[in-house]
């Protein structure tokens, strides 16, 4: 599978204007008991997620523990994922850091490893000015051949990407999408109306509100365990059936609650815990993240049981 980085082309869904698909999972990185990347399990998880409705996967993001995996491990994860499902789903890799030169290196390495696109987060910690953001994102896009999804997440990066900056970046032929975890729907609506940037919700609980103003889908954490329902909601919204989409959204509420059980910054801990509870072990996280406590695990289990009361997803 390849994506034309020079235009908004059809993604795996075959629908023009959705360059990376519509239901993407921000995939965790499976580890062995001794903390090494488990590449066999990477492929198995990727296959499981695609079988359950994901038409795109984002590897090496925050949920994939990118701050604590090496550059070589990141390439191995891309290769294992592409080998497993690269003909069935779009594979994006996280390429963003607070170092522009390193981000370009990661982007080129991701491209060489077979990724179909890159997820480029706002530089964190350094708090650049908007002109710095514009220069950073442009330099990375210029430095590789990958189509790029920007990741706007001021709760982690502090600095939001301003509307004018996004509109300027939309002119770049390889910057094609935005994953929004800022939650400013008014600002997002202005960008959607004023550009060809394709929007994806980066926060599961507000996917439906985002889609009501023009987003095409989600980069999801909860899809690790409830993928068919996430896909059903996204598909209903894209079909204009918001009554059905709201029904699926309401069904997902216990899972959204479960995701918050391990703290706002530990969605990956929820995902790894939830997968284990559903019978698919992926190991624990690397420090500084820690496994769910017994109390958190029990709460997540109860929340999932509420969702799965009827024994069916979607």
């Amino acid at each position: 599978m390849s994506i034309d980085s020079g235009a908004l082309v059809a993604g795996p869904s075959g629908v023009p204007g959705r360059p990376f698909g519509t239901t993407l999972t921000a995939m965790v990185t499976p580890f062995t008991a001794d903390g090494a990347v488990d590449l066999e399990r990477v492929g198995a998880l990727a296959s499981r997620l695609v079988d359950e409705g994901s038409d795109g996967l984002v590897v090496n993001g925050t949920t994939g523990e990118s701050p604590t995996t090496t550059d070589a491990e990141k390439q191995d994860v891309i290769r294992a994922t592409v080998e497993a499902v690269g003909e069935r789903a779009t594979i994006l890799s996280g390429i963003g850091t607070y170092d522009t030169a390193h981000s370009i290196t990661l982007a080129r390495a991701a491209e060489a490893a077979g990724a179909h696109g890159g997820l480029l987060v706002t530089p964190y910690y350094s708090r650049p000015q908007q002109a710095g953001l514009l220069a950073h994102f442009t330099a990375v896009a210029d430095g590789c051949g990958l189509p790029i999804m920007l990741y706007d997440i001021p709760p982690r990066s502090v600095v939001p990407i301003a509307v004018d900056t996004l509109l300027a970046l939309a002119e770049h032929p390889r910057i094609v999408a935005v994953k929004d975890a800022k939650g400013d729907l008014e600002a997002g609506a202005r960008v959607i109306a004023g550009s060809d940037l394709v929007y994806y919700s980066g926060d599961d609980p507000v996917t439906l509100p985002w889609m009501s103003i023009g987003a095409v889908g989600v980069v999801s954490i909860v899809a690790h365990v409830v993928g068919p329902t996430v896909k059903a909601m996204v598909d209903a919204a894209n079909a204009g059936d918001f009554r059905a989409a709201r029904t699926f959204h309401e069904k997902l509420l216990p899972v959204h609650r479960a995701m918050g059980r391990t703290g706002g910054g530990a969605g990956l801990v929820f995902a790894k815990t939830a997968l284990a509870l559903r019978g698919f072990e992926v190991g624990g996280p690397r420090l500084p993240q820690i496994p769910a406590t017994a109390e958190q695990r029990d709460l997540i289990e109860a929340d999932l049981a509420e969702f799965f009361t009827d024994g069916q997803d979607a």
Side-chain angles (χ1 to χ4, degrees), residues 48-140:
R48 176 187 175 99
L49 295 175
V50 173
D51 288 345
E52 293 181 351
S54 290
D55 56 5
L57 300 175
V58 178
V59 299
N60 299 322
T62 308
T63 307
E65 299 183 68
S66 60
T68 59
T69 55
T70 68
D71 290 4
E73 287 174 327
K74 289 177 173 65
Q75 284 187 280
D76 287 342
V77 168
I78 296 167
R79 292 190 188 99
T81 306
V82 171
E83 181 178 353
V85 298
E87 294 300 319
R88 296 197 290 144
T90 305
I91 313 304
L92 286 79
S93 179
I95 57 174
T97 71
Y98 49 35
D99 176 350
T100 303
H102 188 204
S103 299
I104 294 171
T105 297
L106 287 177
R108 291 173 176 171
E111 187 175 5
H116 304 134
L119 179 69
L120 185 57
V121 71
T122 308
Y124 40 89
Y125 188 76
S126 51
R127 299 177 66 180
Q129 300 177 62
Q130 290 298 312
L133 294 184
L134 181 60
H136 169 82
F137 290 132
T138 300
V140 178

Side-chain angles (χ1 to χ4, degrees), residues 17-31:
R18 299 169 190 171
F20 301 118
T22 60
T23 305
L24 290 73
T25 300
M27 196 173 90
V28 299
T29 300
F31 296 132

Side-chain angles (χ1 to χ4, degrees), residues 46-281:
S47 296
R48 176 187 175 99
L49 295 175
V50 173
D51 288 345
E52 293 181 351
S54 290
D55 56 5
L57 300 175
V58 178
V59 299
N60 299 322
T62 308
T63 307
E65 299 183 68
S66 60
T68 59
T69 55
T70 68
D71 290 4
E73 287 174 327
K74 289 177 173 65
Q75 284 187 280
D76 287 342
V77 168
I78 296 167
R79 292 190 188 99
T81 306
V82 171
E83 181 178 353
V85 298
E87 294 300 319
R88 296 197 290 144
T90 305
I91 313 304
L92 286 79
S93 179
I95 57 174
T97 71
Y98 49 35
D99 176 350
T100 303
H102 188 204
S103 299
I104 294 171
T105 297
L106 287 177
R108 291 173 176 171
E111 187 175 5
H116 304 134
L119 179 69
L120 185 57
V121 71
T122 308
Y124 40 89
Y125 188 76
S126 51
R127 299 177 66 180
Q129 300 177 62
Q130 290 298 312
L133 294 184
L134 181 60
H136 169 82
F137 290 132
T138 300
V140 178
D142 284 345
C144 71
L146 292 174
I148 287 172
M149 178 189 293
L150 301 176
Y151 187 10
D152 193 4
I153 182 167
R156 292 184 186 273
S157 66
V158 181
V159 178
I161 311 175
V163 168
D164 288 347
T165 304
L166 286 165
L167 292 175
L169 290 166
E171 299 300 316
H172 197 290
R174 279 188 293 280
I175 297 176
V176 299
V178 178
K179 174 186 175 184
D180 187 282
K182 180 166 59 183
D184 186 340
L185 271 71
E186 187 273 337
R190 290 165 60 196
V191 177
I192 291 168
S195 76
D196 289 328
L197 286 173
V198 177
Y199 260 67
Y200 293 83
S201 170
D203 188 7
D204 277 293
V206 293
T207 297
L208 186 55
W210 268 115
M211 295 192 72
S212 74
I213 63 163
V216 303
V218 61
V219 180
S220 173
I221 292 177
V222 301
H224 278 94
V225 288
V226 291
T229 300
V230 175
K231 174 178 169 51
M233 179 184 70
V234 168
D235 286 353
N238 276 324
D241 188 351
F242 282 91
R243 184 182 296 274
R246 181 178 172 184
T247 298
F248 292 121
H249 167 77
E250 291 173 352
K251 180 177 174 62
L252 287 165
L253 291 176
V255 191
H256 295 160
R257 184 174 66 238
M259 187 171 59
R261 298 296 192 184
T262 52
L268 71 96
V269 178
F270 155 77
K272 287 193 163 185
T273 303
L275 281 167
L277 288 167
R278 298 297 295 167
F280 192 93
E281 291 286 347

